[in-house]
């Protein structure tokens, strides 16, 4: 039995490409958002804040990405997952950096969690849509690899 594991993670270059694509999508839509891209361990690789984006959105974008990388789940799925378990929902919602609102997406390659995206500053659905722009680019780039 081996004492080591091998894990993949998103590159800084890819993180910057995703952040830029999301930023450009937000400009096209007339939104003012923050975007954060984390590696598989939850460390920041790329961040962009648009002029005029709400200041609280800085931390919220980071926390959405952190929640997505922590569990490997999209942040918008939590409310539905926990609708029958109020005690667990309350407990999780009190954890630092845990956000159960849309805009955080995990990045998977062949079922391996390699990073996450967090977007904040617009409506919840607009944050999700912007994050999906990054996810679509990520899938396109990793399918070619």
């Amino acid at each position: 039995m081996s004492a080591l594991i091998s894990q993949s993670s998103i590159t800084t270059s890819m993180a910057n490409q995703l952040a830029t694509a999301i930023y450009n999508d937000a400009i096209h839509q007339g939104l003012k958002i923050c975007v954060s891209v984390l590696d598989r361990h939850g460390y920041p690789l790329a961040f962009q804040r648009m002029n005029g984006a709400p200041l609280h959105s800085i931390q919220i974008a980071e926390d959405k990405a952190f929640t997505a990388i922590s569990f490997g789940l999209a942040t918008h799925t939590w409310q539905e997952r926990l609708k029958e378990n109020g005690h667990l929902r309350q407990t999780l919602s009190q954890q630092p950096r845990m956000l159960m609102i849309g805009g955080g997406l995990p990045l998977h390659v062949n079922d391996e969690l390699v990073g996450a995206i967090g977007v904040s500053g617009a409506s919840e659905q607009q944050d999700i849509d912007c994050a999906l722009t990054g996810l679509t680019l990520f899938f396109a780039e990793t399918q070619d690899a």
Side-chain angles (χ1 to χ4, degrees):
M1 181 189 322
S2 176
L4 302 175
I5 60 172
S6 177
Q7 299 176 324
S8 298
S9 189
I10 187 173
T11 64
T12 303
S13 176
M14 175 55 66
N16 282 318
Q17 287 179 36
L18 298 179
T20 298
I22 293 166
Y23 182 95
N24 288 336
D25 183 47
I27 288 173
H28 179 73
Q29 294 184 60
L31 305 175
K32 295 180 184 329
I33 54 105
C34 295
V35 58
S36 177
V37 183
L38 306 180
D39 70 9
R40 71 164 293 111
H41 302 288
Y43 293 113
L45 290 177
F47 178 84
Q48 291 191 27
R49 177 184 175 270
M50 298 175 76
N51 291 334
L55 294 177
H56 275 80
S57 293
I58 296 168
Q59 188 66 47
I60 293 170
E62 292 173 354
D63 289 351
K64 286 180 181 182
F66 192 80
T67 300
I69 197 71
S70 294
F71 293 95
L73 300 170
T75 56
H76 68 272
T77 66
W78 281 102
Q79 293 299 327
E80 180 66 25
R81 288 176 159 278
L82 298 175
K83 74 178 181 181
E84 302 295 324
N85 194 336
H87 177 69
L88 183 56
R89 183 176 56 242
Q90 181 180 3
T91 300
L92 286 175
S93 70
Q94 294 175 6
Q95 298 305 303
R97 304 194 70 188
M98 178 74 180
L99 288 182
M100 294 185 267
I101 55 176
L105 297 176
L107 301 172
H108 291 92
V109 174
N110 300 324
D111 296 324
E112 183 178 7
L113 186 59
V114 298
I117 298 168
V119 177
S120 181
S123 74
E124 183 175 11
Q125 188 58 56
Q126 289 168 322
D127 288 351
I128 293 169
D129 292 344
C130 285
L132 285 170
T133 295
L135 188 65
T136 300
L137 173 61
F138 180 73
F139 282 143
E141 292 293 321
T142 56
Q143 294 302 312
D144 295 337

